[in-house]
Amino acid sequence: MFLKSAVVAIGVIFAPFMAHACELHMKPDVEISNPYARSSGPKAKVGAAFFSITNHSEKDIRLLAARSDVAARTEIHSHKMTGDGIMQMFQLEEGILIPAGATHDLKRGGDHVMLMGLKESLGENANVAVTLVFEKAGEMVVDIPVDLSK
Ligand SMILES: [Cu+2]
Protein backbone atom coordinates (compact mmCIF):
# COMPACT_ATOMS: atom_id res chain seq x y z
CA MET A 1 0.00 0.00 0.00
CA PHE A 2 2.78 2.37 0.98
CA LEU A 3 4.80 1.35 -2.07
CA LYS A 4 1.95 2.06 -4.46
CA SER A 5 1.38 5.59 -3.20
CA ALA A 6 5.12 6.26 -3.36
CA VAL A 7 5.15 5.30 -7.04
CA VAL A 8 2.20 7.55 -7.73
CA ALA A 9 3.92 10.43 -5.97
CA ILE A 10 7.07 9.97 -8.04
CA GLY A 11 4.95 9.96 -11.18
CA VAL A 12 3.39 13.28 -10.23
CA ILE A 13 6.74 14.84 -9.39
CA PHE A 14 8.39 13.80 -12.62
CA ALA A 15 5.54 14.46 -15.04
CA PRO A 16 6.15 18.23 -15.40
CA PHE A 17 9.87 17.71 -16.00
CA MET A 18 9.20 15.12 -18.63
CA ALA A 19 6.79 17.40 -20.46
CA HIS A 20 9.34 20.20 -20.36
CA ALA A 21 12.17 18.04 -21.66
CA CYS A 22 9.97 16.92 -24.52
CA GLU A 23 9.19 20.50 -25.48
CA LEU A 24 12.90 21.38 -25.46
CA HIS A 25 13.61 18.38 -27.60
CA MET A 26 11.15 19.49 -30.30
CA LYS A 27 12.40 23.05 -30.73
CA PRO A 28 15.83 22.44 -32.35
CA ASP A 29 14.05 20.53 -35.11
CA VAL A 30 12.59 23.76 -36.44
CA GLU A 31 14.95 26.54 -37.43
CA ILE A 32 13.82 30.05 -38.32
CA SER A 33 16.32 32.11 -40.30
CA ASN A 34 16.54 35.59 -41.85
CA PRO A 35 13.39 36.95 -40.22
CA TYR A 36 12.19 40.48 -40.89
CA ALA A 37 8.93 42.38 -40.71
CA ARG A 38 7.82 45.44 -42.61
CA SER A 39 4.89 47.66 -43.45
CA SER A 40 4.44 50.23 -46.18
CA GLY A 41 4.78 53.19 -43.79
CA PRO A 42 4.09 54.59 -40.33
CA LYS A 43 0.35 54.90 -40.96
CA ALA A 44 -0.04 51.44 -42.46
CA LYS A 45 -2.64 49.28 -40.78
CA VAL A 46 -1.16 46.08 -42.12
CA GLY A 47 2.29 44.61 -42.09
CA ALA A 48 3.92 41.33 -42.98
CA ALA A 49 6.64 39.08 -41.63
CA PHE A 50 9.01 36.94 -43.67
CA PHE A 51 11.52 34.24 -42.76
CA SER A 52 12.75 30.82 -43.77
CA ILE A 53 11.65 27.70 -41.91
CA THR A 54 13.95 24.70 -41.96
CA ASN A 55 12.59 21.36 -40.79
CA HIS A 56 15.54 19.42 -39.40
CA SER A 57 13.35 16.54 -38.26
CA GLU A 58 12.57 13.34 -40.10
CA LYS A 59 8.86 14.08 -40.16
CA ASP A 60 6.88 16.59 -42.16
CA ILE A 61 5.72 19.54 -40.10
CA ARG A 62 2.99 22.07 -40.71
CA LEU A 63 2.92 25.72 -39.74
CA LEU A 64 -0.74 26.00 -38.82
CA ALA A 65 -1.11 29.53 -37.56
CA ALA A 66 0.64 32.58 -36.16
CA ARG A 67 -0.23 35.05 -33.43
CA SER A 68 1.12 38.45 -32.45
CA ASP A 69 0.12 41.09 -29.94
CA VAL A 70 0.98 43.87 -32.41
CA ALA A 71 -1.95 43.06 -34.68
CA ALA A 72 -5.67 42.50 -34.25
CA ARG A 73 -5.42 39.47 -36.54
CA THR A 74 -2.46 37.44 -37.71
CA GLU A 75 -2.90 35.11 -40.66
CA ILE A 76 -0.78 32.98 -42.93
CA HIS A 77 -1.09 34.24 -46.47
CA SER A 78 0.12 33.59 -49.94
CA HIS A 79 -0.17 35.38 -53.27
CA LYS A 80 -1.68 34.31 -56.52
CA MET A 81 -1.86 35.94 -59.91
CA THR A 82 -5.38 36.79 -61.00
CA GLY A 83 -6.47 36.52 -64.61
CA ASP A 84 -5.80 40.18 -65.30
CA GLY A 85 -2.23 40.11 -64.05
CA ILE A 86 -2.86 41.44 -60.56
CA MET A 87 -1.23 39.79 -57.54
CA GLN A 88 -3.83 38.97 -54.93
CA MET A 89 -3.35 37.73 -51.39
CA PHE A 90 -5.29 34.87 -49.90
CA GLN A 91 -5.26 33.04 -46.59
CA LEU A 92 -3.64 29.60 -46.45
CA GLU A 93 -6.37 27.90 -44.42
CA GLU A 94 -4.32 24.75 -43.93
CA GLY A 95 -1.07 26.55 -43.24
CA ILE A 96 2.24 25.61 -44.80
CA LEU A 97 3.62 22.09 -45.01
CA ILE A 98 7.39 21.82 -44.62
CA PRO A 99 8.57 18.35 -45.66
CA ALA A 100 11.20 16.53 -43.57
CA GLY A 101 14.61 18.05 -44.20
CA ALA A 102 13.25 20.89 -46.34
CA THR A 103 13.40 24.68 -46.08
CA HIS A 104 10.39 26.81 -46.93
CA ASP A 105 10.92 30.50 -47.64
CA LEU A 106 8.32 33.09 -46.73
CA LYS A 107 9.15 36.01 -49.00
CA ARG A 108 7.84 39.07 -50.78
CA GLY A 109 5.33 38.13 -53.44
CA GLY A 110 4.93 34.67 -51.93
CA ASP A 111 3.93 33.18 -48.61
CA HIS A 112 3.98 35.49 -45.61
CA VAL A 113 2.66 36.08 -42.11
CA MET A 114 0.11 38.87 -42.41
CA LEU A 115 -0.28 41.28 -39.53
CA MET A 116 -3.72 42.87 -39.89
CA GLY A 117 -5.01 45.77 -37.84
CA LEU A 118 -1.66 46.96 -36.48
CA LYS A 119 -2.11 48.45 -33.02
CA GLU A 120 0.93 50.65 -33.53
CA SER A 121 3.19 51.29 -36.47
CA LEU A 122 6.10 48.97 -37.05
CA GLY A 123 9.00 51.22 -36.10
CA GLU A 124 12.39 50.75 -37.69
CA ASN A 125 14.72 48.70 -35.47
CA ALA A 126 11.85 47.49 -33.32
CA ASN A 127 11.18 43.82 -32.77
CA VAL A 128 7.89 42.09 -33.33
CA ALA A 129 7.22 38.95 -31.31
CA VAL A 130 5.35 36.42 -33.41
CA THR A 131 4.23 33.06 -32.07
CA LEU A 132 4.34 30.33 -34.68
CA VAL A 133 1.98 27.45 -34.08
CA PHE A 134 3.13 24.15 -35.54
CA GLU A 135 1.04 21.03 -35.78
CA LYS A 136 2.53 18.49 -33.33
CA ALA A 137 5.85 20.38 -32.97
CA GLY A 138 4.18 22.93 -30.68
CA GLU A 139 4.60 26.68 -30.49
CA MET A 140 7.64 28.84 -30.97
CA VAL A 141 8.05 32.56 -30.31
CA VAL A 142 10.21 34.37 -32.83
CA ASP A 143 11.56 37.88 -32.30
CA ILE A 144 11.36 39.46 -35.73
CA PRO A 145 13.28 42.68 -36.41
CA VAL A 146 11.50 45.38 -38.37
CA ASP A 147 13.34 46.31 -41.54
CA LEU A 148 11.54 48.92 -43.61
CA SER A 149 14.35 49.09 -46.16
CA LYS A 150 13.48 45.69 -47.61
CU1 LIG B 1 -1.18 39.01 -46.80
Side-chain angles (χ1 to χ4, degrees):
M1 203 58 195
F2 169 75
L3 195 64
K4 191 175 175 189
S5 57
V7 169
V8 170
I10 288 167
V12 170
I13 290 163
F14 276 95
F17 292 103
M18 281 153 70
H20 190 65
C22 185
E23 191 180 80
L24 285 174
H25 173 71
M26 307 286 296
K27 295 282 162 66
D29 289 347
V30 180
E31 185 187 343
I32 303 296
S33 48
N34 304 318
Y36 73 96
R38 68 179 303 281
S39 66
S40 58
K43 287 187 178 167
K45 282 284 169 226
V46 297
F50 309 92
F51 45 83
S52 297
I53 309 171
T54 301
N55 177 5
H56 291 294
S57 79
E58 287 166 5
K59 289 180 183 157
D60 296 354
I61 58 168
R62 186 180 290 278
L63 175 65
L64 279 182
R67 294 194 305 267
S68 181
D69 288 340
V70 300
R73 282 179 67 119
T74 304
E75 295 180 353
I76 297 170
H77 279 191
S78 193
H79 280 97
K80 65 182 170 194
M81 196 68 93
T82 62
D84 40 10
I86 295 167
M87 287 279 255
Q88 201 174 61
M89 291 193 298
F90 65 100
Q91 187 178 3
L92 291 170
E93 305 273 359
E94 295 180 351
I96 297 170
L97 183 81
I98 305 111
T103 296
H104 187 97
D105 296 326
L106 281 76
K107 56 188 177 192
R108 302 288 291 281
D111 299 348
H112 55 280
V113 170
M114 193 83 200
L115 304 164
M116 306 161 86
L118 287 175
K119 293 170 187 169
E120 50 191 274
S121 62
L122 298 181
E124 183 76 332
N125 301 322
N127 275 311
V128 177
V130 174
T131 302
L132 303 178
V133 183
F134 291 93
E135 189 180 54
K136 295 178 191 145
E139 297 188 359
M140 183 177 192
V141 179
V142 188
D143 244 345
I144 301 182
V146 174
D147 188 344
L148 301 177
S149 70
K150 289 197 180 179

